[in-house]
Amino acid sequence: MTLSPRPATDPPAISSPGLPLAPDGYPAAGGVARRATGQAASARANREWWDAAAPAYLSEHGSDLGDVDFLWCPEGLREADAHLLGDVAGRRVLEIGCGSAPCARWLARAGADVLALDVSGGMLARAAELNRSTGIAVPLLQADAGALPLADAAVDVACSAFGGLPFVADAQAALTEVRRVLRPGGRFVASVNHPMRWPMPDSPDPDDLQVTSSYFDRRPYVETDGAGRTVYVEHHRTIGDWVRAIVGAGFVLADLLEPEWTKGRTQTWGQWSPERGALMPGTLVLVCNKPSA
Ligand SMILES: C[S@@+](CC[C@H](N)C(=O)[O-])C[C@H]1O[C@@H](n2cnc3c(N)ncnc32)[C@H](O)[C@@H]1O
């Protein structure tokens, strides 16, 4: 059985007219704010932002992500070593926020029946190119993590590597959606920003490990354009918020991983660096089981 709702090689249309870019190739931020932002506005802004950022993001991180590889986080934890999803051969697997879909291709090569979902047509267009160049054509679907267009109990396993959950306004609602599409006894594993990153500056330098805002301030981080329109949104939850959202969505929390920096890994990603990684976590991995009955 295939999970594919559309032909695998069909590149999705890019719906955004395009945001103005800064010299580094990422969308130029006119300003930064902390303000309440709902799900529809978050999904619209992040779809447009990731459409515009896709070339810069993949040129900066594509070689680290690989074309057929499952990297959970900048610390260097790989599914090949962690086995968080169990044996995926013959399983129906949904990846949420797949980006260029290297994880989904890795899962397909491991024998899974995969569907890769992302809100951004720009990211999915690159995923379609890599489907062709690698010869591993995973089905691609453009949709918002907050409203999964799948039937109840459609998949055995779901996963997300920094895709979707940091960007949705209501984490419990998104987790409830994931629980709905999982079969009883199914598993969901997601990596997200470690909540401890939130109150500190976005810098890889260990000297910047200083608390400059409140860990308890849940107002989303928002970037705006010159007219004050929201162009990027990231939502913060404390560790307790995550536990309550997971349990409130009807999952059993099996584990919370805080991966340590991989020995010898020198790659820097934004504020993730070997120097900071030696001192504090940058990633939280949520391991959630749907009860069997
Ligand atoms: C940091 S990238 C991670 C992509 C990929 N997992 C990786 O490791 O490169 C975040 C991804 O989440 C996607 N995304 C953001 N908001 C989303 C939403 N509401 N629903 C689905 N995907 C979303 C973005 O388009 C982007 O591809």
Side-chain angles (χ1 to χ4, degrees):
M1 174 193 162
T2 181
L3 292 168
S4 175
R6 67 160 83 198
T9 51
D10 193 11
I14 298 175
S15 53
S16 164
L19 298 172
L21 301 179
D24 63 2
Y26 287 92
V32 168
R34 287 283 183 85
R35 65 185 185 207
T37 311
Q39 180 51 24
S42 298
R44 189 271 309 151
N46 286 328
R47 187 183 67 244
E48 293 178 4
W49 193 91
W50 283 101
D51 282 349
Y57 174 79
L58 294 169
S59 135
E60 185 179 1
H61 300 299
S63 61
D64 198 29
L65 289 165
D67 297 343
V68 187
D69 196 3
F70 197 135
L71 183 67
W72 278 109
C73 53
E75 286 82 0
L77 183 71
R78 287 189 150 75
E79 177 59 12
D81 302 314
H83 307 295
L84 299 178
L85 302 176
D87 181 2
V88 294
R91 304 273 179 177
R92 301 164 300 171
V93 183
L94 170 67
E95 186 188 2
I96 299 169
C98 65
S100 58
C103 304
R105 265 179 239 103
W106 184 90
L107 291 163
R109 198 169 61 184
D113 179 7
V114 190
L115 173 62
L117 174 153
D118 200 284
V119 78
S120 161
M123 292 297 263
L124 290 173
R126 182 68 184 136
E129 285 170 23
L130 290 174
N131 272 355
R132 281 189 287 274
S133 64
T134 59
I136 303 177
V138 293
L140 305 171
L141 173 66
Q142 186 170 13
D144 175 14
L148 300 174
L150 294 180
D152 295 357
V155 299
D156 302 305
V157 176
C159 59
S160 180
F162 281 87
L165 285 186
F167 306 105
V168 297
D170 186 340
Q172 182 170 324
L175 287 162
T176 302
E177 265 295 84
V178 179
R179 182 184 179 280
R180 180 185 66 75
V181 304
L182 273 175
R183 67 153 166 83
R187 169 164 283 201
F188 176 52
V189 183
S191 55
V192 298
N193 306 336
H194 196 290
M196 279 307 297
R197 293 180 56 210
W198 185 254
M200 301 188 190
D202 195 5
S203 152
D205 188 340
D207 289 344
D208 291 332
L209 285 175
Q210 296 169 24
V211 174
T212 54
S213 66
S214 172
Y215 173 76
F216 302 105
D217 183 354
R218 272 84 160 185
R219 290 173 305 158
Y221 168 86
V222 171
E223 290 178 6
T224 56
D225 65 12
R229 181 173 169 269
T230 300
V231 294
Y232 179 87
V233 188
E234 215 171 295
H235 294 267
H236 167 63
R237 286 103 200 174
T238 66
I239 293 193
D241 293 342
W242 276 118
V243 172
R244 280 183 291 280
I246 290 163
V247 173
F251 280 112
V252 173
L253 179 61
D255 204 352
L256 280 179
L257 301 178
E258 295 166 298
E260 291 192 34
W261 200 266
T262 300
K263 210 165 183 260
R265 181 174 162 83
T266 54
Q267 188 77 32
T268 294
W269 281 59
Q271 69 168 245
W272 284 269
S273 66
E275 294 77 22
R276 276 182 79 147
L279 300 174
M280 62 172 286
T283 298
L284 188 65
V285 185
L286 320 169
V287 183
C288 314
N289 291 334
K290 176 169 175 174
S292 297

